[in-house]
Amino acid sequence: MYSGRTGESIDTIYWIEGEYIPEALKEVTYFFRDWRNSQIKAVDARTVDIMTAAHRLMETDEPYMLLSGYRSPETNAMLRSRSRGVAKNSLHMKAQAADLRLKSRSVTQMASAAQACSAGGVGTYRGSNFVHMDCGVVRSWNG
């Protein structure tokens, strides 16, 4: 369901009959690692749930392109020094957020699907062609 900046891809079932599969979440966690320095933090399954629900609502087989999952504090600080759009206390640093892109869907379509889940934050970044999804409080913004 995901492809990454490093050319990797992952298509794994992480939940069956109300139970998360620990081995699958470990695989997702590795995929969500900070690609700049390979640091890893366990991904919050709630974020994966939101991403999965939004993906199903869009009725596409195309995998998400994961632009950013977990970010180490060092990576977040570096990105913050280059862009006003990076939060000081970003949920990326808690492995609770993902920046995603789909070629077959517009940013507006992706954001609408994520907002329809009524769970977490949804940031729309039209200029950079991606949507931020997280498992924080329900909110939305344009970046």
Side-chain angles (χ1 to χ4, degrees), residues 44-117:
D44 191 316
R46 296 174 301 167
T47 299
V48 181
D49 291 342
I50 293 165
M51 294 166 53
T52 301
H55 196 263
R56 286 186 181 141
L57 286 172
M58 289 183 281
E59 298 179 342
T60 181
D61 291 332
E62 178 191 351
Y64 282 123
M65 165 67 78
L66 177 67
L67 303 176
S68 183
Y70 170 66
R71 282 190 209 142
S72 66
E74 297 81 13
T75 292
N76 201 71
M78 178 271 296
L79 293 173
R80 199 168 144 68
S81 73
R82 296 179 181 178
S83 171
R84 295 180 321 129
V86 177
K88 182 177 183 177
N89 295 311
S90 172
L91 291 179
H92 284 280
M93 294 190 299
K94 295 181 179 181
Q96 294 180 333
D99 295 338
L100 305 160
R101 180 180 291 154
L102 285 172
K103 290 179 185 174
S104 65
R105 299 293 184 270
S106 69
V107 168
T108 301
Q109 290 169 316
M110 289 178 62
S112 293
Q115 289 169 339
C117 297

Side-chain angles (χ1 to χ4, degrees), residues 11-30:
D11 186 14
T12 189
I13 296 171
Y14 72 99
W15 185 86
I16 295 177
E17 296 179 10
E19 298 288 328
Y20 291 109
I21 302 167
E23 298 80 22
L25 283 177
K26 282 177 112 172
E27 188 177 344
V28 173
T29 288
Y30 179 76

